[in-house]
Amino acid sequence: MKTSDFYYELPEELIAQDPLSDRASSRLLVLGKGTGKREHTDFHHIIDYLRKGDCLVLNDTKVIPARLIGQKEDTGGKVEFLLLKRKENNIWETLVKPGKKARPGAKIVFGDGLLTAEVLEIAEEGNRLVQFSYEGIFEEILDQLGQMPLPPYITHELKDKGRYQTVYAKYEGSAAAPTAGLHFTEGLLQEIEEKGVEIAHVTLHVGLGTFRPVKAEEVADHHMHTEYYHVGREAADKINLAKAKGNRVICVGTTSCRTIESAAVNGLVQAGEGDTDIFIYPGYQFQVLDCLITNFHLPESTLLMLVSALAGKENIIEAYNEAVAMEYRFFSFGDAMFITDSLMQ
């Protein structure tokens, strides 16, 4: 299977640069995963496609202001950090640009010395392990100095940091938002619960995998970066009970999907935590997931491969081409897709 099999043409003007004022007013393309049939509606109508007894799985990770701009202590040269994963206490795995300025021993200063970092070593795939020094509380300093780590295809300034968080974000640790969840409002979630849909919260801290393009020619040769996940007992029980009753497990976003599939053993989700590098592409047999609410993903990306594993590559590419023709908004601040087992009509 070639990476190029997952290419589609996307005009640059369809990349959403700004979030909509009303989260739930985005468009929704509903795709039958077995048939390829499609319907078009607005996201607040997602409730019409949900059934009593369904279990909706949300990723409650919270994005940290993970982008830091500093200067090299000895030369004053500009250095940009993207915090990827806390290793221990004040040691973080970090993506650094330009890397040549971040050799082991280099010291970087942020905010006139409010925060300093020393590069300890070069880690996997060129990332840096760095140790931070500061006085006070790291999270407060980061909130003061850091910027939200918007993807590189978003060039507009984000005026409201909260629009790159889900309304249910709780546990800090992500370098990117689980963007399918950005469409939900507190009111919509309340309506969904009142309909009899169970809501289960899991956590996956989104890391470098979101930013890394697939460079391998063969899909199977791509290496996924590990990301931390946690599934509590209550969430595992809700998901497993839905499966036992023959109801659907519907994940909000590819991160929720990867979490429950990573935690599944013989079709049952196990409570626990760990690191996952699960790579889902066509041929994968889903253990738990039935349906998926997701955004539109980049050409040749691992996320496009994941949705193709669920709905079929041809169905996905046809749906994407139709979305392009209908001028849907793409990527993080864009419109949504619901891959389901049954359409309204």
Side-chain angles (χ1 to χ4, degrees), residues 154-173:
I154 294 178
T155 58
H156 290 190
E157 180 184 354
L158 181 63
K159 294 181 173 60
D160 178 7
K161 282 185 179 182
R163 287 299 279 111
Y164 196 57
Q165 302 278 19
T166 63
V167 297
Y168 47 81
K170 187 173 183 180
Y171 299 105
E172 293 188 332

Side-chain angles (χ1 to χ4, degrees), residues 10-84:
L10 180 69
E12 188 175 340
E13 60 269 20
L14 295 185
I15 299 173
Q17 292 295 324
D18 303 290
L20 299 177
S21 56
D22 175 14
R23 290 174 181 261
S25 65
S26 55
R27 297 164 76 184
L28 178 67
L29 191 158
V30 185
L31 176 66
K33 67 178 183 181
T35 64
K37 291 183 178 179
R38 300 180 288 275
E39 294 175 356
H40 302 275
T41 184
D42 296 321
F43 192 83
H44 61 262
H45 288 302
I46 188 72
I47 191 169
D48 299 330
Y49 292 86
L50 303 179
R51 308 173 195 149
K52 182 178 180 179
D54 285 343
C55 183
L56 193 67
V57 184
L58 309 178
N59 180 8
D60 59 13
T61 188
K62 191 171 186 177
V63 185
I64 60 174
R67 178 166 278 119
L68 289 164
I69 309 296
Q71 293 80 39
K72 200 174 176 193
E73 187 179 61
D74 54 357
T75 65
K78 178 182 173 182
V79 181
E80 180 177 335
F81 276 23
L82 179 63
L83 306 185
L84 297 174

Side-chain angles (χ1 to χ4, degrees), residues 9-276:
E9 288 281 351
L10 180 69
E12 188 175 340
E13 60 269 20
L14 295 185
I15 299 173
Q17 292 295 324
D18 303 290
L20 299 177
S21 56
D22 175 14
R23 290 174 181 261
S25 65
S26 55
R27 297 164 76 184
L28 178 67
L29 191 158
V30 185
L31 176 66
K33 67 178 183 181
T35 64
K37 291 183 178 179
R38 300 180 288 275
E39 294 175 356
H40 302 275
T41 184
D42 296 321
F43 192 83
H44 61 262
H45 288 302
I46 188 72
I47 191 169
D48 299 330
Y49 292 86
L50 303 179
R51 308 173 195 149
K52 182 178 180 179
D54 285 343
C55 183
L56 193 67
V57 184
L58 309 178
N59 180 8
D60 59 13
T61 188
K62 191 171 186 177
V63 185
I64 60 174
R67 178 166 278 119
L68 289 164
I69 309 296
Q71 293 80 39
K72 200 174 176 193
E73 187 179 61
D74 54 357
T75 65
K78 178 182 173 182
V79 181
E80 180 177 335
F81 276 23
L82 179 63
L83 306 185
L84 297 174
K85 185 188 296 184
R86 189 196 292 267
K87 291 298 205 181
E88 55 179 279
N89 295 327
N90 298 320
I91 298 177
W92 284 74
E93 183 177 354
T94 307
L95 186 65
V96 182
K97 294 192 300 186
K100 63 183 180 182
K101 293 184 179 178
R103 296 188 174 92
K107 293 185 177 180
I108 317 298
V109 180
F110 305 93
D112 296 323
L114 196 61
L115 181 69
T116 60
E118 180 178 355
V119 179
L120 300 180
E121 62 180 86
I122 299 175
E124 180 185 11
E125 298 178 358
N127 299 334
R128 271 38 176 195
L129 288 184
V130 302
Q131 182 165 17
F132 288 102
S133 300
Y134 53 90
E135 292 184 4
I137 300 173
F138 180 76
E139 286 74 18
E140 291 181 358
I141 294 171
L142 190 62
D143 194 50
Q144 182 179 340
L145 299 180
Q147 302 172 17
M148 292 303 265
L150 295 178
Y153 50 75
I154 294 178
T155 58
H156 290 190
E157 180 184 354
L158 181 63
K159 294 181 173 60
D160 178 7
K161 282 185 179 182
R163 287 299 279 111
Y164 196 57
Q165 302 278 19
T166 63
V167 297
Y168 47 81
K170 187 173 183 180
Y171 299 105
E172 293 188 332
S174 271
T179 54
L182 297 179
H183 303 282
F184 287 91
T185 63
E186 291 173 350
L188 180 56
L189 286 169
Q190 184 176 340
E191 288 180 45
I192 288 170
E193 284 192 283
E194 289 171 353
K195 188 170 183 175
V197 176
E198 287 286 347
I199 294 181
H201 292 266
V202 300
T203 307
L204 183 137
H205 292 325
V206 188
L208 186 62
T210 294
F211 297 91
R212 176 182 289 128
V214 179
K215 295 181 179 178
E217 185 176 333
E218 296 285 341
V219 168
D221 292 338
H222 177 69
H223 169 65
M224 294 286 284
H225 201 79
T226 59
E227 295 167 313
Y228 168 83
Y229 74 89
H230 176 269
V231 178
R233 169 54 56 196
E234 181 182 357
D237 288 347
K238 284 183 176 181
I239 295 166
N240 292 334
L241 182 60
K243 296 297 285 188
K245 289 184 174 181
N247 296 323
R248 302 180 302 174
V249 174
I250 302 169
C251 283
V252 176
T254 56
T255 59
S256 299
C257 165
R258 294 179 65 242
T259 300
I260 65 170
E261 291 295 315
S262 296
V265 177
N266 297 324
L268 290 175
V269 173
Q270 309 296 309
E273 62 183 350
D275 290 318
T276 180

